[in-house]
Amino acid sequence: MKEFNQYINGEFVKSTSTETTEVLNPCTEDVLSLIPKGSVADANLALEAAKAAQHSWKSLTAVERASYLHKMADVIRENRVFLAETLAKEQAKVIGLAQVEIDVTADYYDYNAGWARRIEGEIIQSDRKKEHIYLHKAPIGVAVGICPWNFPFFVAARKIAPSLVTGNTCVLKPSCIAPNTIMEFIKLIEKINLPAGVLNVVCGTGPVVGNALTTSPITGIISLTGSVFAGQKVMEAASKNITKVSLELGGKAPAIVCADANLDLAVNAVVSSRVIFSGQVCNCAERVYVEDSIYDEFMAKVTKKMSEVKVEDAFSENNPDMSSMVSKAQFDKVAEMVEYAKKEGAEVVVGGGRSTNFDKGYFYQPTLLTNVSQNMQIIQEEVFGPVLPVMKFGTLDEAIALANDSEYGLTSSIFSENINKVMHACDQLDYGETYINREHFEAIQGFHAGWKKSGLGGADGKHGMEEYLQTKVVYAQYQ
């Protein structure tokens, strides 16, 4: 069994706390590793190291900083199988999807490195003679990244890559549930000779390490991917020093299926979106609204498709669609929500309980629900599991109103062959992202950003890069 230390100022060091957290394989419930249950002192040491390194780091040219990101991408590709296996073990992500996450993460480092020559300011016309106004983009300082457990390796890159290339230094807090892949990566990149203090990784709980990182006056920006509750706590902590926050906080994504949709395409996209990583993906379809004239046909197709979903061990050679939930707590939450939906009157068409093919692990069946209504918990609250509730609608405007009836606003989708319907829906849906005739999953060159309680700011692309920059205006008068 492996035991990891904190990574502070270019070295692996023991935590000032003697407590540890066990990291489990969700499929087998075996202990994989021990990580530090870090302390406030650990967090402060990491922040001080990042602060001390930031001036010399920002003084490098952007291209010099980007060269380290390219080296990180190279290290990932050289160790892609090892990292994918580590990821699959610690979170029960099927090995094929784990490999995709690793490979896309390498691309992400290269993509962000490519922005080095594209961080641009402006020259603004002055009202005064013999004066130029220069608008510069400058790093904020020390960036704190707080990572989730569902895509831990990729989301870590979402914090690390844009912060480093723009001249910030970084302190990363991995999830206690799935930290192993990040920690193995940090061990691997020691050979690229990244300057000490530029990147620090501190393991620990949110109430201790997370709170210390987010309340510190050293922290210039906090980027969190997590729950609404976690986002609220971060905003409270950040208010102490008026620290900038960038938050991605989950969703309750609606999918609208119109009568003129390609039904096979819609069914395949909705089901694959719902069961990817056992439904533990914040931007994937969480509820479906189907036009009443095709409801029966859609239900026949989606029932068949959900019944055929393969649930197996994450390392199965049969290329399963999904595996175990990430933890007992997550399994219990999903099970409780389905049971409550049944009490409220929902009908279980497929699944509805623990998978019976496994002696150990947190395997929950792909579950299809009908006879649900808009006010039910299963429609209003994020499930984060392989559960798909389906409702009817009469008109497109009715479907849009139902879709918008949510405190979340991350992603949405519409399935239709009518361009007028599609464009109307895109204009009216109150979501940061809308997918047309495809599954819910974003691209690295887009802008992954939620509305309402789904977050503030965003990640990826030009606008994600700008999250880590602040503006300085210089008024230059000459004789």
Side-chain angles (χ1 to χ4, degrees):
M1 180 175 61
K2 292 188 176 182
E3 187 168 354
F4 295 103
N5 291 320
Q6 312 285 37
Y7 185 71
I8 299 173
N9 203 30
E11 296 181 340
F12 285 97
V13 296
K14 289 192 174 296
S15 171
T16 59
S17 166
T18 58
E19 295 184 84
T20 58
T21 298
E22 293 182 340
V23 179
L24 303 182
N25 180 329
C27 289
T28 64
E29 302 179 48
D30 294 334
V31 178
L32 295 171
S33 68
L34 295 177
I35 60 165
K37 189 177 287 186
S39 64
V40 171
D42 294 344
N44 289 336
L45 286 170
L47 289 168
E48 291 288 353
K51 180 182 177 181
Q54 200 265 325
H55 179 76
S56 58
W57 179 249
K58 77 173 183 178
S59 297
L60 297 178
T61 67
V63 171
E64 287 176 306
R65 295 193 297 266
S67 70
Y68 288 96
L69 270 61
H70 285 307
K71 292 174 184 177
M72 291 179 183
D74 291 342
V75 167
I76 292 170
R77 293 187 182 105
E78 290 164 6
N79 298 276
R80 59 186 294 273
V81 173
F82 165 70
L83 291 169
E85 290 175 347
T86 304
L87 187 63
K89 284 178 185 176
E90 69 174 328
Q91 57 168 187
K93 182 170 285 174
V94 298
I95 188 64
L97 180 59
Q99 192 65 74
V100 168
E101 180 175 347
I102 299 301
D103 293 342
V104 169
T105 302
D107 293 343
Y108 196 79
Y109 279 104
D110 279 336
Y111 172 79
N112 278 265
W115 279 100
R117 290 187 174 92
R118 297 172 178 84
I119 301 170
E120 299 173 345
E122 299 176 33
I123 300 174
I124 302 167
Q125 293 300 312
S126 175
D127 292 341
R128 296 185 180 187
K129 293 180 179 179
K130 294 188 175 182
E131 180 177 73
H132 293 301
I133 304 173
Y134 303 105
L135 188 151
H136 297 268
K137 296 292 185 178
I140 295 172
V142 174
V144 164
I146 301 177
C147 297
W149 47 257
N150 63 339
F151 284 87
F153 195 60
F154 177 72
V155 175
R158 262 189 176 153
K159 318 298 185 190
I160 296 168
S163 62
L164 296 195
V165 77
T166 51
N168 302 279
T169 51
C170 184
V171 179
L172 196 75
K173 191 190 92 63
S175 163
C176 294
I177 293 174
N180 288 359
T181 313
I182 293 171
M183 301 309 295
E184 294 287 10
F185 171 64
I186 297 299
K187 288 166 63 177
L188 291 169
I189 64 169
E190 280 193 296
K191 69 181 183 181
I192 73 172
N193 296 317
L194 186 69
V198 169
L199 176 60
N200 308 271
V201 182
V202 184
C203 298
T205 65
V208 178
V209 170
N211 188 63
L213 294 174
T214 54
T215 56
S216 172
I218 293 175
T219 302
I221 176 173
I222 306 159
S223 176
L224 165 82
T225 303
S227 67
V228 170
F229 176 78
Q232 290 168 336
K233 289 297 182 185
V234 164
M235 289 189 76
E236 289 174 12
S239 68
K240 178 180 178 181
N241 295 297
I242 319 296
T243 304
K244 182 178 180 180
V245 296
S246 180
L247 308 173
E248 192 223 317
L249 305 179
K252 188 67 182 175
I256 297 172
V257 183
C258 298
D260 57 14
N262 179 327
L263 273 192
D264 289 332
L265 183 153
V267 166
N268 288 338
V270 166
V271 172
S272 64
S273 176
R274 185 63 261 142
V275 303
I276 186 174
F277 189 38
S278 306
Q280 300 166 124
V281 183
C282 57
N283 57 337
C284 287
E286 279 250 348
R287 52 197 166 115
V288 185
Y289 300 100
V290 182
E291 194 163 349
D292 49 15
S293 63
I294 59 162
Y295 179 81
D296 290 343
E297 185 181 1
F298 178 87
M299 285 305 302
K301 288 178 178 289
V302 79
T303 298
K304 182 175 185 294
K305 189 71 176 177
M306 286 290 279
S307 301
E308 293 171 347
V309 170
K310 292 185 290 186
V311 184
E312 297 182 20
D313 182 88
F315 284 86
S316 170
E317 296 179 355
N318 295 324
N319 191 28
D321 301 296
M322 54 176 271
S323 188
S324 166
M325 306 297 291
V326 77
S327 66
K328 183 178 185 301
Q330 193 63 23
F331 176 95
D332 289 344
K333 177 201 168 190
V334 173
E336 287 168 9
M337 291 187 75
V338 171
E339 289 305 308
Y340 190 73
K342 289 161 63 176
K343 290 178 183 177
E344 289 188 299
E347 177 187 346
V348 176
V349 179
V350 177
R354 179 185 290 275
S355 293
T356 57
N357 298 333
F358 307 92
D359 295 329
K360 290 185 176 182
Y362 315 116
F363 294 88
Y364 196 85
Q365 294 173 324
T367 298
L368 181 64
L369 302 176
T370 59
N371 198 34
V372 294
S373 59
Q374 187 67 14
N375 61 349
M376 284 185 178
Q377 180 197 56
I378 205 76
I379 290 289
Q380 290 294 331
E381 297 182 16
E382 187 174 39
V383 181
F384 227 54
V387 179
L388 188 66
V390 184
M391 283 179 59
K392 296 180 185 179
F393 71 86
T395 67
L396 180 57
D397 282 337
E398 177 191 349
I400 292 169
L402 291 168
N404 286 340
D405 177 28
S406 175
E407 65 181 9
Y408 295 99
L410 186 57
T411 71
S412 57
S413 66
I414 180 168
F415 296 85
S416 171
E417 298 295 297
N418 185 314
I419 187 63
N420 295 311
K421 289 182 180 179
V422 166
M423 297 311 298
H424 176 66
C426 289
D427 283 346
Q428 299 300 317
L429 285 166
D430 295 335
Y431 290 82
E433 298 173 23
T434 298
Y435 302 95
I436 301 169
N437 295 326
R438 58 161 283 193
E439 79 285 357
H440 291 220
F441 221 78
E442 75 276 11
I444 62 176
Q445 66 270 36
F447 184 51
H448 185 55
W451 294 6
K452 298 183 278 190
K453 286 189 178 180
S454 286
L456 294 170
D460 305 338
K462 173 184 177 181
H463 299 291
M465 182 75 57
E466 290 175 345
E467 289 286 286
Y468 294 88
L469 294 165
Q470 57 189 342
T471 301
K472 176 188 287 187
V473 180
V474 176
Y475 296 88
Q477 210 162 33
Y478 64 95
Q479 299 302 317

